[in-house]
Amino acid sequence: MALSLGVASAQTPAKGSPDHVKAVTSAVDGAMIRANTAMSNDWPTIGLDYAETRFSKLSQITADNVGKLGLVWSYPLESSRGVEATPVVVDGIMYVTASWSVVHAIDARSGKRLWSYDPKVDKEKGYKGCCDVVNRGVALWKGKVFVGVYDGRLVALDAVTGKVAWEKDTLIDQVHSYTITGAPRVFNGKVIIGNGGAEYGARGYITAYDAETGNQAWRWFTVPGDPSKPFEDDSMAAAAKTWDPSGKYWVNGGGGTVWDTITFDPDLNMVYVGTGNGSPWARNARSPAGGDNLYLASLVALNADTGKYIWHYQETPGDNWDYTSTQPMILADININGAPRKVILHAPKNGFFFVIDRTNGKFISAKNFVDVNWATGYDENGRPMETADARTDKPYDMIPGPYGAHNWHPMSFNPQTGLVYLPAQNVPVRVVEDKKWAHNENAPGKPHGGLGWNIGYNFDADPPQNKPFGRLLAWDPVKQKEAWRVEYVAPWNGGTLTTAGNLVFQGSADGRFIAYNATTGEKLWEKPVGSGVVAAASTFMIDGKQYVSIAVGWGGVYGIMQRATETQSPGTVYTFAIDGNAAPPAFVKYQTEGLLAGVPYDPKHVGEGTVLYLSNCVLCHGVPGVDKGGNVRNLGYVSKDVITNLKDFVFKGPMRDQGMPDFTGKLKEEDIPKLQAFIQGTADAIRPK
């Protein structure tokens, strides 16, 4: 018997050992991912399955016993910026990313680190991304972990050791501010990744690489290039007919970047991508004579093997509002008018929930899930019926605003309830078209113009009249109506997970991780997690027990300068199970010095300081003393010494290793007193009398 046990032990590696990690990660391929869909024991891809439903068939944790959920372990991600990744897990081996594209491999049985990989992004280049130095996770395939790095690299890591297997620069040029924040996907042995950068004047594209070698397999551009040069394919030639060449759109890139959603239907062998906003946002600036500007703000189907265009559906023709279609899409088979249909479920920034036939791209239905003021609905041909004021040249409240009625935060679909669980929101923004916009012009008053933004709009001096909100919607995609909702105290709440236990899990901006009844919306359980949550959770089985994990770290484009908590705990993975009783880590109180006072300034400088601040500071630091500060501090609540010595922070300052740009060459020394005047003057103006 002793000999028999010894042989068995030798043949079965210890869980969490290198041999075990190699065995379970090497088994991840298309067949494994499809087989796992039946039971959901593992979470092998970022959206759980190829359809990215984020619906787990696990039911050990239910609406009846979820109240017994407790912390099993927490793991420090050692990050202070946004955390947007969903943990990927196979047989208790977890891979998750933190800010700056750092990858962590964790033994989910114990919460102990196996390894971490830091791609050493140059933190002075953090300004090249519009929306925080985030990363939405990894892909796993045949023993390799794939991560898209903020600076544009795609890296393949050995799943056992974290050592680099291969690395590719995905960028088509080093002139534009391209980044990668999205999670790669792997289909048919090819790693698929897109890029961000539309605010900066980038041209969108998506690329496939051989998972084994890193060799480029194919690339598809989302918008046409210079019409004086040959088009890459027929789809680009067709798109060029929908742009006005007098605007020289190719100089500013055109936009359409594929910075997030990518899904795959293995039966149809189609890859579906959601494309981004126009660059600049204002269509009059990029395409003066109008036009739909294909393939901006669209869902596009490509052949998974060749990258060839198959079909598209444009959700926002002639995008004029930063209405990206990059938000996560879900593939589902549902009955519509008594007949089964293979569909895409999608809720992009523009505020409408779409149901699209994924076999051919035909429009089925669309209904607004929040209030909108740019369109009254969609006609039977799937075109929006725009309001008279949709393209006004006067100042107006953009509803939804550029933060979107729904942003990148993942939604989930539960086929048992028939409902989609959707993080919806409104962040008020009032804009006016910049009729004097010029490509790459760094002029005072241009929003983030000093850091390379090209949007063709200015922020209006009058505040918006519409109100902010954040809510969880349960949406019926067949009836195109809301089933229930939960209101939150602020926008920018986390993505959702739903399970066969009749549960929906979501983290909130005010620092809670919550479970709801999936049918009714009744809150059943919650735990504080020390920081606002933006990511979505995953759930999985380990040795016969169900666990739920959430990666927490406040951030993203809204979370940089706003928050709804009084704590700012560093990035952390929390893992829960029934009867867990581990102690949580200590929560950290948000650092504040009180409202800034005592910095000397000349009131005559406030006006010039205002426009300089708009061009260089506001989208990270917010309005001094008015906004609360997010994962970057509000300058109305820092010490007097910081603002008195502002020059030492702005030029080659000490915060560069945390992502603050060096403004050498962007600002002049004589600009500093003007900025000081605006910062201290604004704090003085709002100070209670």
Side-chain angles (χ1 to χ4, degrees), residues 317-340:
D319 171 45
N320 195 52
W321 311 274
D322 187 25
Y323 285 166
T324 66
S325 289
T326 51
Q327 287 59 53
M329 66 181 90
I330 292 171
L331 311 186
D333 296 347
I334 60 178
N335 285 314
I336 298 176
N337 297 326

Side-chain angles (χ1 to χ4, degrees), residues 625-638:
V626 176
D627 298 319
K628 296 180 67 174
N631 64 27
V632 171
R633 295 185 68 193
N634 183 280
L635 298 182
Y637 297 103
V638 299

Side-chain angles (χ1 to χ4, degrees), residues 146 154 166 188-191 208-218:
F146 300 94
L154 179 66
W166 55 256
N188 297 352
K190 296 179 180 65
V191 190
Y209 298 88
D210 183 275
E212 187 61 33
T213 66
N215 294 332
Q216 184 174 317
W218 53 257

Side-chain angles (χ1 to χ4, degrees), residues 528-547:
V529 287
S531 176
V533 185
V534 291
S538 61
T539 186
F540 43 88
M541 294 287 279
I542 302 178
D543 306 328
K545 188 168 187 175
Q546 184 181 355
Y547 295 79

Side-chain angles (χ1 to χ4, degrees), residues 254 561 601:
M561 62 178 181
Y601 68 94

